[in-house]
Amino acid sequence: MASELEKRLMGRVPAARRSVLTEDVHERVKGLIMNGDLEPGARVNIYAVARLLEVSQTPVREVLSALESEGLLTKEALRGYSVAPLLTPGQIADLYQLRLLLEPWAAGRAAELVTAEAGERVRAELASVPKAPQGTRYEDYHGLADHDARFHDLIAELSGSGALRESLRRTHSHLHLFRIEYAGRRDGDPTLAEHARIAEAVVAGRPEAASEAMRAHLAAARDRFLQMGP
């Protein structure tokens, strides 16, 4: 008997490609979560997902475990996997408070330590997304979400602090926040403009300007989310 998941989505989800199967299944299931096709709190059944994507259960098990580690799924004994809830306004404020404590320092330190090779990496990352996407589906904006994660991770890496970089990675903030941002039909133009100001200061070796640009970016992003509501 078809599950509720299959009834709602069968025919709307392309079958997963046989090549690079696990990666493809990962993107398909992540897309269902990020787009809200699988709503917060929804049960995610391994067998139903395997039938939906026309694949065996093995890659689905691997993918659901990976998505749990990314914070997009939760797992309970005897109940299995469910879609993680969206961040509340209080959780958003708390997350940004942490980032405001860590990332301005990281940007300033990256500017102090910047080399020609590091500057080229920062410029290349900016060039990877020349303009913000217009669509509101994960398929449209995942490139921007990936850039956002890479950009902040790169600044953390260039700060030289492995502990800070790992702390930021563990928040999975980019996935959680993009679930909210594009559900709210926000565009990515402010994010790209703010990244450009941070990058300019880092590449120029201006620690105070880099720190302030990062602080302004995070504060503006936080305010955009809080104005949007849950």
Side-chain angles (χ1 to χ4, degrees):
M1 181 178 294
S3 70
E4 180 61 28
L5 170 68
E6 292 172 280
K7 290 176 182 176
R8 288 195 298 109
L9 300 177
M10 188 65 75
R12 294 172 52 195
V13 182
R17 299 190 308 271
R18 299 309 185 204
S19 61
V20 294
L21 184 59
T22 299
E23 291 86 349
D24 193 43
V25 171
H26 184 274
E27 283 303 295
R28 299 282 190 194
V29 180
K30 182 186 284 188
L32 294 175
I33 296 170
M34 300 293 285
N35 287 329
D37 294 322
L38 284 172
E39 298 179 348
R43 295 279 300 279
V44 182
N45 182 279
I46 292 172
Y47 310 105
V49 172
R51 290 194 297 267
L52 187 67
L53 300 184
E54 300 177 17
V55 298
S56 71
Q57 296 165 24
T58 300
V60 174
R61 291 181 189 277
E62 295 175 9
V63 164
L64 297 190
S65 178
L67 291 172
E68 181 192 11
S69 71
E70 293 175 35
L72 290 178
L73 294 177
T74 61
K75 188 178 183 182
E76 296 181 50
L78 305 180
R79 288 182 56 83
Y81 292 99
S82 299
V83 178
L86 294 174
L87 295 179
T88 66
Q91 289 171 323
I92 292 172
D94 189 49
L95 173 60
Y96 273 103
Q97 183 59 42
L98 173 65
R99 296 182 69 181
L100 282 162
L101 290 171
L102 298 178
E103 294 193 70
W105 177 88
R109 185 63 174 159
E112 290 178 4
L113 300 176
V114 70
T115 63
E117 185 270 340
E120 286 303 313
R121 291 178 64 193
V122 173
R123 292 190 187 96
E125 183 53 53
L126 280 184
S128 70
V129 182
K131 62 180 181 179
Q134 298 303 307
T136 57
R137 298 283 291 175
Y138 177 68
E139 295 79 10
D140 300 316
Y141 72 75
H142 73 88
L144 178 60
D146 290 347
H147 158 70
D148 190 57
R150 289 194 308 265
F151 180 80
H152 285 271
D153 183 64
L154 177 58
I155 298 299
E157 177 193 346
L158 296 180
S159 77
S161 173
L164 180 147
R165 186 184 185 192
E166 183 60 24
S167 294
L168 291 173
R169 281 181 168 181
R170 288 178 181 275
T171 67
H172 304 297
S173 63
H174 308 283
L175 287 174
H176 289 302
L177 292 169
F178 270 83
R179 284 175 74 194
I180 300 170
E181 184 163 17
Y182 276 82
R185 303 299 188 262
R186 307 289 290 192
D187 70 71
D189 290 324
T191 294
L192 292 181
E194 290 155 14
H195 283 184
R197 287 192 285 272
I198 297 165
E200 180 182 6
V202 169
V203 172
R206 298 166 55 210
E208 290 185 8
S211 179
E212 182 51 40
M214 179 65 81
R215 184 175 292 106
H217 165 51
L218 294 173
R222 175 199 60 201
D223 292 345
R224 286 193 291 267
F225 283 114
L226 293 178
Q227 289 168 8
M228 190 186 312

